[in-house]
């Protein structure tokens, strides 16, 4: 189709997004994260907490619109904040304790709506609690060590480079669908680009920021490329199951905030685990 064809809006990318708006929003969000890490690294925890609250509301709204599922929003929001903030003084133990209390809170909170749909709604509430705040708490825990700002930067760089390279290589070279029933535009060529550039970013960031070995960075970058791709596919499955295009509409060119956190959430847990094993604080 010609570039000036009326069927294709000039501002849209091949992925169906307003690319200039998407780039602008991405740069603003990225700058806020980097500044928080370079100025006072614990500000990053506040950013994570705010993102968790917004994403939780978006996912709960999408579940209600798409399938009539009622997430126990109050305990999930309160418990999500507890998971993120308790990670600061208590680490993994604080996160686990807050998650358990959140699950119990969801089970009890749903009593007031009766029998109909109880198991469905509680299951969705527990899933939301694990998918968003539990995973995000690992991003908050990245900044706890003395070199925590650099650990968080390695995580962000790895995921952003992986996502960007995967998108670009998919648009330019994508021929073989990776998961056509889940995400038709995702290709094996795009994943290969994500993997290659993700590993390169991992090597450079771990070497220069954390003083690790090159093979530490290679493994770290490969793991993040895989987890980011899996996260993207997971959210695509959720949206297809619910019959929606985006989780929200607060970010021009992106959809909702949850639509930008899909690859970050599972990758936060993977980044924390990989750095814990490969580059101990």
């Amino acid at each position: 189709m010609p570039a000036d064809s009326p069927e294709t809006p000039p501002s849209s990318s091949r992925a169906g997004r307003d690319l200039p708006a998407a780039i602008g929003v991405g740069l603003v969000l990225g700058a806020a994260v980097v500044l928080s890490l370079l100025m006072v690294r614990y500000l990053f925890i506040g950013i994570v907490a705010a993102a968790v609250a917004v994403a939780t509301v978006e996912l709960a709204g999408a579940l209600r619109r798409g399938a009539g599922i009622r997430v126990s929003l109050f305990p999930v929001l309160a418990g999500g904040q507890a998971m993120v903030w308790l990670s600061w003084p208590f680490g993994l133990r604080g996160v686990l304790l807050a998650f358990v209390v959140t699950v119990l809170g969801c089970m009890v909170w749903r009593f007031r709506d009766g029998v109909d749909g109880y198991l469905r709604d509680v299951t969705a509430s527990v899933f939301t609690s694990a998918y968003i705040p539990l995973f995000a708490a690992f991003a908050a825990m990245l900044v706890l060590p003395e070199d925590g700002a650099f650990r968080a930067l390695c995580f962000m760089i790895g995921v952003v480079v992986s996502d960007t390279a995967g998108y670009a290589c998919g648009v330019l070279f994508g021929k073989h669908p990776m998961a056509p029933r889940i995400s038709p535009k995702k290709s094996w060529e795009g994943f290969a680009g994500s993997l290659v550039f993700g590993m390169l970013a991992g090597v450079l960031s771990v070497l220069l920021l954390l003083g690790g070995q090159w093979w530490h960075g290679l493994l770290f970058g490969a793991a993040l490329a895989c987890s980011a791709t899996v996260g993207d596919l997971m959210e695509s499955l959720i949206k297809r199951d619910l019959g929606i295009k985006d989780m929200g509409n607060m970010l021009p060119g992106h959809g909702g905030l949850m639509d930008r956190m899909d690859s970050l959430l599972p990758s936060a847990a993977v980044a924390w685990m990989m750095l814990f094993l490969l580059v101990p604080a």
Side-chain angles (χ1 to χ4, degrees):
M1 185 181 294
D4 57 353
S5 171
E7 286 83 358
T8 304
S11 61
S12 295
S13 70
R14 283 176 57 178
R17 298 289 186 188
D18 183 345
L19 194 55
I23 292 173
V25 169
L27 290 174
V28 170
L29 294 176
V33 169
V34 171
L35 284 175
S36 72
L37 290 170
L38 295 180
M39 293 173 62
V40 181
R41 71 179 190 272
Y42 292 113
L43 289 175
F44 180 69
I45 299 176
I47 292 177
V48 171
V52 162
V54 174
T56 297
V57 171
E58 286 183 345
L59 180 56
L63 289 169
R64 184 147 195 164
R65 292 193 312 272
I69 297 172
R70 293 170 291 181
V71 170
S72 299
L73 195 55
F74 178 78
V76 174
L77 281 172
Q81 292 303 300
M83 285 181 232
V84 173
W85 288 108
L86 287 179
S87 70
W88 183 354
F90 301 114
L92 198 56
R93 291 182 180 181
V95 174
L96 179 59
L97 175 63
F99 178 68
V100 171
V101 173
T102 301
V103 171
L104 291 173
C106 291
M107 292 177 174
V108 174
W109 186 268
R110 182 54 180 76
F111 284 177
R112 60 184 192 163
D113 289 326
V115 174
D116 186 35
Y118 176 82
L119 183 60
R120 175 201 64 191
D121 293 345
V122 168
T123 301
S125 298
V126 174
F127 168 76
T128 302
S129 301
Y131 184 35
I132 300 178
L134 182 61
F135 281 167
F138 285 92
M141 286 193 293
L142 282 171
V143 303
L144 300 184
E146 287 299 319
D147 61 351
F150 294 139
R151 288 173 178 266
L153 280 174
C154 287
F155 155 60
M156 297 298 299
I157 290 169
V159 175
V160 169
V161 169
S162 173
D163 276 355
T164 303
Y167 171 81
C169 291
V171 168
L172 294 174
F173 310 113
K175 299 292 183 184
H176 301 88
M178 186 179 188
R181 295 181 62 184
I182 301 174
S183 182
K185 290 185 170 117
K186 189 168 290 295
S187 65
W188 285 108
E189 291 82 1
F191 175 68
S194 178
L195 193 61
V196 170
F197 284 93
M199 288 191 294
L200 178 60
V203 170
L204 292 175
S205 60
V206 169
L207 271 175
L208 298 177
L209 297 178
L210 299 179
Q213 302 296 317
W214 67 269
W215 62 272
H216 293 159
L218 199 69
L219 292 176
F220 179 73
L224 286 191
C226 292
S227 63
T229 301
V230 167
D232 190 25
L233 291 173
M234 283 193 304
E235 202 205 22
S236 293
L237 271 172
I238 294 170
K239 291 191 289 189
R240 284 186 174 277
D241 192 21
L242 296 177
I244 60 175
K245 182 177 184 294
D246 293 320
M247 291 290 186
N249 56 12
M250 71 173 293
L251 299 178
H254 292 272
L257 183 62
M258 185 61 200
D259 295 294
R260 292 303 89 208
M261 292 177 65
D262 53 0
S263 56
L264 290 167
L265 288 168
S267 296
V270 170
W272 185 87
M273 288 186 287
M274 293 296 291
L275 293 179
F276 176 80
L277 293 172
L278 297 174
V279 192

